[in-house]
Amino acid sequence: MTSLQHDLRQHHDKVLIVDFGSQVTQLIARRVREAGVYCEIAPFQSAEKAFAQFSPKAVILSGGPASVIDPNSPRAPKNILDSGLPILAICYGQQTIAAQMGGAVEGGHHAEFGRANVDIVERSALFDGVWEIGGCYPVWMSHGDRVTRLPEGFSVKARSENAPFAVASDEKRKIFTTQFHPEVAHTPDGAKLLANFVHKVAGLKSDWTMAAFRGEAIKAIRDSVGQGRVLCGLSGGVDSAVAAVLIHEAIGEKLTCVFVDHGLLRMGEAEEVVTLFRDHYNIPLVHVQAQDLFIGALEGQAEPEAKRKTIGRLFIETFEAEAKKIAADGKGALEFLAQGTLYPDVIESVSFTGGPSVTIKSHHNVGGLPERMHMKLVEPLRELFKDEVRALGRELGLPEVFVGRHPFPGPGLAIRLPGGVTREKLEILRKADAIYLDEIRKAGLYDKIWQAFAVLLPVRSVGVMGDGRTYDHVCALRAVTSVDGMTADFFPYDMNFLGRAATRIINEVKGVNRVVYDVTSKPPGTIEWE
């Protein structure tokens, strides 16, 4: 834990979430944060130590893929169960609570995966103002094993067809358990149940706001950096932009930003970055024109991972060269490197399974900076989720067109070009993508869509345009909706919109004669898509 982290969290009521490996554990944290309460996630192997260091006022146990019946399956740390603090145990968490406290868990019963209904049979503080006795409410189940006998002191509060103890609690000891997942969007009242746990059961304050975070972060950055100079790499995305503006507010001219323009951004994005940071915020900015270097190295390169590694290598080399120039300007040594690391990155880096973090880093980003730069890290956003970063950006006054920008992976348009990269194809894709986003904005749909982009497919199509035949590229359009970024479904455009967008692309972009719409969904457990 860095001193910056410690400063940012020491003033808040806190919840510790013990991760047993559920693919939606991050959603628990999101819902708790949305309720205005600070929380962090710890894998079950290090939860005992994290509990002692973090000093939470309540604990949530997540779901997980293991079976409690397996003697080698994970368990909740004894110091947590003996702490007397309020505990909410979800799915696997419920089962391990039952097994560890004298109840029973069995397999072989009818499993529940997907939507189910729970019948409320007793009042519970968890249900206050949300569910009533005798009511029937939709939830999302995902379990094979189930609790068959409750520990002493527990009573059943809700049942489903295949979970006789869908909600069970020992309210004297403030231990609440659910077999279903309140954190997912498919449990409509789940966020309210979690809010009841942190506020009405645990009595925690709603003091986690971006307005409060802004002030705390500025003080922490000043205390951490002192009189040192900070170097920040701008990518054109939301995370690095918010980090840069926050740090500049804290230390002013001691921050220098480097924007490596690799020629793989969307139309007009490089100009937006330079205008915003150099002209509007007056932040010292080095704009490195490296388009020829990157595109030249990528031309003809088709293998996706090779593209990322090439971009990552060149970015590091370019950034490091600029850092040496800045360090030699006579204004003092560059001691600190600012990065827009977010909390999901931190979670994945300590995932109890090793997680998909290696895949994520390779897939989504372009690589980290080398240790040989010998710079201390400043990561002011490492406690935040993406939606919190956007809220902080608004708090800092960044324009909405920048703060609300759809996610765009570091390798940029290179991964929207399956097959070989060429300058011609980049230009075709950039124009088609710009028209597509323009039509989305004109239709008032941009903020309703989580991510949208165009892809130039590695196929060509014969077509007839006017009196002549064409043999040109096929452009695919992608748009998805998502509540949490964990799962996503295609956006249901009407045919009039698709017709307008396709017609404009075909008419205005030389080199495209066919447009298709991708209607695949993003299943649970995948991290990103191209």
Side-chain angles (χ1 to χ4, degrees):
M1 180 182 68
T2 67
S3 60
L4 187 59
Q5 278 181 280
H6 177 74
D7 289 343
L8 291 176
R9 72 188 196 183
Q10 65 178 342
H11 305 296
H12 300 278
D13 287 347
K14 302 184 288 290
V15 173
L16 179 68
I17 300 169
V18 178
D19 182 16
F20 288 111
S22 169
Q23 64 186 13
V24 291
T25 298
Q26 288 190 31
L27 298 188
I28 302 173
R30 291 281 297 278
R31 302 297 170 255
V32 172
R33 298 275 187 96
E34 287 166 5
V37 177
Y38 184 70
C39 62
E40 289 187 9
I41 298 171
F44 71 87
Q45 299 99 320
S46 59
E48 183 175 357
K49 181 179 178 181
F51 178 77
Q53 293 180 338
F54 190 52
S55 300
K57 293 188 176 181
V59 177
I60 298 177
L61 308 181
S62 84
S67 171
V68 171
I69 299 167
D70 182 346
N72 297 316
S73 57
R75 294 290 186 264
K78 189 174 185 299
N79 63 338
I80 291 178
L81 298 186
D82 293 343
S83 67
L85 293 179
I87 295 173
L88 174 63
I90 296 169
C91 196
Y92 182 89
Q94 181 193 61
Q95 294 168 12
T96 195
I97 284 281
Q100 290 179 249
M101 301 184 76
V105 179
E106 295 179 7
H109 297 278
H110 185 72
E112 280 184 305
F113 294 96
R115 290 178 175 82
N117 292 306
V118 294
D119 298 309
I120 310 305
V121 297
E122 281 190 14
R123 181 195 171 277
S124 170
L126 208 60
F127 306 155
D128 193 14
V130 183
W131 289 348
E132 297 179 352
I133 295 176
C136 180
Y137 302 95
V139 298
W140 187 262
M141 293 283 191
S142 182
H143 66 97
D145 300 341
R146 74 182 189 190
V147 177
T148 56
R149 187 180 73 250
L150 292 172
E152 185 177 350
F154 282 74
S155 60
V156 61
K157 305 297 182 181
R159 299 188 178 99
S160 74
E161 183 177 357
N162 295 298
F165 308 125
V167 180
S169 62
D170 180 337
E171 304 214 1
K172 284 187 178 179
R173 287 190 286 179
K174 295 186 177 180
I175 301 177
F176 295 76
T177 72
T178 72
Q179 183 59 77
F180 61 86
H181 287 269
E183 68 272 28
V184 301
H186 300 84
T187 299
D189 295 322
K192 296 176 183 177
L193 300 179
L194 286 164
N196 273 350
F197 174 71
V198 297
H199 294 313
K200 297 188 176 182
V201 173
L204 307 187
K205 301 187 295 290
S206 290
D207 61 357
W208 179 251
T209 67
M210 287 306 98
F213 176 88
R214 176 185 182 179
E216 293 167 6
I218 287 171
K219 181 181 184 303
I221 291 166
R222 287 172 180 162
D223 292 345
S224 178
V225 170
Q227 295 303 309
R229 296 177 70 193
V230 179
L231 186 66
C232 178
L234 283 178
S235 67
V238 176
D239 305 337
S240 63
V242 172
V245 173
L246 180 66
I247 294 169
H248 184 255
E249 187 166 312
I251 63 172
E253 296 296 307
K254 293 193 290 258
L255 170 71
T256 300
C257 291
V258 174
F259 172 46
V260 178
D261 186 350
H262 48 41
L264 304 171
L265 293 175
R266 287 170 151 162
M267 187 174 289
E269 285 191 342
E271 292 79 5
E272 286 180 9
V273 171
V274 174
T275 299
L276 179 67
F277 287 90
R278 184 178 286 167
D279 299 339
H280 180 73
Y281 281 101
N282 199 30
I283 296 175
L285 173 68
V286 177
H287 181 195
V288 185
Q289 303 274 1
Q291 299 94 324
D292 290 342
L293 173 66
F294 280 79
I295 298 173
L298 288 169
E299 278 197 301
Q301 202 165 107
E303 203 278 314
E305 200 61 25
K307 292 180 189 177
R308 293 186 186 88
K309 289 179 179 177
T310 297
I311 295 167
R313 174 180 58 80
L314 292 176
F315 179 85
I316 289 169
E317 292 173 359
T318 306
F319 190 89
E320 191 173 14
E322 292 302 319
K324 289 178 180 178
K325 294 177 186 177
I326 295 167
D329 64 5
K331 298 179 181 179
L334 288 171
E335 299 178 45
F336 298 89
L337 176 67
Q339 292 186 342
T341 305
L342 303 191
Y343 192 48
D345 301 321
V346 178
I347 296 168
E348 291 296 339
S349 70
V350 296
S351 169
F352 82 95
T353 60
S357 57
V358 174
T359 303
I360 295 171
K361 297 301 181 189
S362 172
H363 184 106
H364 194 270
N365 300 310
V366 296
L369 293 171
E371 292 183 5
R372 65 176 177 269
M373 291 187 72
H374 302 300
M375 299 176 77
K376 304 170 190 173
L377 285 180
V378 177
E379 298 174 305
L381 310 182
R382 65 180 284 121
E383 266 94 8
L384 304 185
F385 287 102
K386 190 76 170 188
D387 56 322
E388 293 175 314
V389 173
R390 295 188 194 280
L392 178 60
R394 295 182 181 101
E395 180 70 28
L396 290 165
L398 275 130
E400 187 61 33
V401 68
F402 212 95
V403 175
R405 182 173 289 172
H406 290 173
F408 192 58
L413 295 178
I415 60 169
R416 307 293 187 228
L417 279 173
V421 175
T422 68
R423 295 171 191 269
E424 177 194 22
K425 287 164 65 177
L426 276 170
E427 191 59 25
I428 291 171
L429 176 58
R430 205 184 320 271
K431 290 178 180 177
D433 185 74
I435 291 170
Y436 178 39
L437 294 183
D438 183 55
E439 286 297 322
I440 289 173
R441 289 191 172 96
K442 284 179 177 176
L445 299 175
Y446 190 85
D447 293 335
K448 297 178 181 179
I449 295 170
W450 191 76
Q451 186 183 49
F453 52 84
V455 176
L456 202 64
L457 298 179
V459 295
R460 302 185 82 173
S461 171
V462 175
V464 175
M465 298 179 69
D467 295 323
R469 287 187 178 275
T470 62
Y471 180 59
D472 283 324
H473 295 281
V474 177
C475 179
L477 305 181
R478 176 86 162 131
V480 295
T481 58
S482 180
V483 174
D484 45 51
M486 299 288 294
T487 63
D489 204 355
F490 65 89
F491 186 80
Y493 287 127
D494 63 51
M495 292 305 297
N496 289 330
F497 172 85
L498 289 174
R500 286 195 305 273
T503 299
R504 275 196 65 191
I505 290 170
I506 291 169
N507 286 340
E508 298 177 31
V509 182
K510 185 178 180 181
V512 175
N513 69 357
R514 183 162 299 181
V515 175
V516 298
Y517 183 55
D518 178 4
V519 295
T520 56
S521 297
K522 177 188 174 189
T526 57
I527 304 300
E528 184 55 88
W529 57 89
E530 295 183 5

